Amino acid sequence: MNYISESDIKNIVQKVMQSLSSSNGSSYAPSVPQTSSVSDSDSTVKIIAIGSDHGGFETKQSLVAALQDRGYEVIDCGAKNYNPDDDYPSFAFKVGEELVKLLHQNKLARGILLCRSGAGMNVAANKVNGVRAAETNSIEQAQHARRDNDANIATIAADWLDIDAVLQ
């Protein structure tokens, strides 16, 4: 199995955050307002809905604090406590539903979901109408998903992240 280096992780997270902060002007957005419909005077993402199951809980807790330190409004959709028996779909649905609600209010928002592989959250989140979640295991994936697919939720594999590299 190939592992991602700490410097690659740092670069990936920086690019994901940049991608989450940009709007791409895409014309396709089923059942939710386009991110570009938010006024030009408010062109950067200010709100992040975030969630994780037990597999991404520790990383999420650190990421919430880091995002708040950078001026983002963070809506923590859970898990609120570490529970090894919780299951990812409920958190993916909560983040997806919160994001769609914010977009319907013409707020410029994105989502982040963390689980052990990123795959489970991705599958579950994409069941919410209006969500375009994408696994972001590399800088190129994150950029492509945002630019070409208008992804509005980044799913991250917490098992592949070293939190020190993420927070640098």
Side-chain angles (χ1 to χ4, degrees):
M1 185 177 290
N2 294 331
Y3 290 93
I4 300 172
S5 72
E6 286 188 25
S7 64
D8 286 343
I9 292 169
K10 179 181 174 185
N11 290 332
I12 291 167
V13 171
Q14 288 174 344
K15 295 294 182 178
V16 167
M17 294 311 300
Q18 288 171 355
S19 293
L20 289 172
S21 294
S22 68
S23 64
N24 71 357
S26 171
S27 62
Y28 176 71
S31 78
V32 295
Q34 289 178 267
T35 54
S36 59
S37 68
V38 177
S39 76
D40 290 338
S41 65
D42 189 24
S43 63
T44 59
V45 171
K46 303 254 193 300
I47 305 169
I48 304 287
I50 191 168
S52 73
D53 64 0
H54 62 278
F57 181 76
E58 289 182 30
T59 303
K60 178 191 65 104
Q61 295 300 96
S62 298
L63 191 53
V64 165
L67 289 168
Q68 288 171 332
D69 287 346
R70 292 182 178 136
Y72 290 92
E73 177 185 341
V74 179
I75 300 170
D76 188 345
C77 297
K80 302 292 184 179
N81 300 298
Y82 178 80
N83 176 355
D85 297 323
D86 65 14
D87 203 12
Y88 63 88
S90 61
F91 304 111
F93 296 150
K94 286 177 187 176
V95 168
E97 291 164 356
E98 182 66 29
L99 179 65
V100 169
K101 179 179 85 174
L102 291 165
L103 295 174
H104 277 295
Q105 295 169 358
N106 284 328
K107 303 223 172 145
L108 191 51
R110 300 287 186 274
I112 299 174
L113 287 165
L114 300 104
C115 66
R116 296 193 66 176
S117 70
M121 288 287 195
N122 192 56
V123 169
N126 279 312
K127 293 181 184 281
V128 177
N129 193 22
V131 165
R132 291 173 305 282
E135 291 184 58
T136 54
N137 296 318
S138 72
I139 293 167
E140 294 80 13
Q141 267 186 309
Q143 290 173 331
H144 182 272
R146 185 72 197 112
R147 179 186 63 242
D148 294 348
N149 306 116
D150 197 23
N152 51 21
I153 294 181
T155 62
I156 298 172
D159 278 1
W160 300 92
L161 297 177
D162 176 295
I163 192 60
D164 293 330
V166 171
L167 295 176
Q168 287 181 3

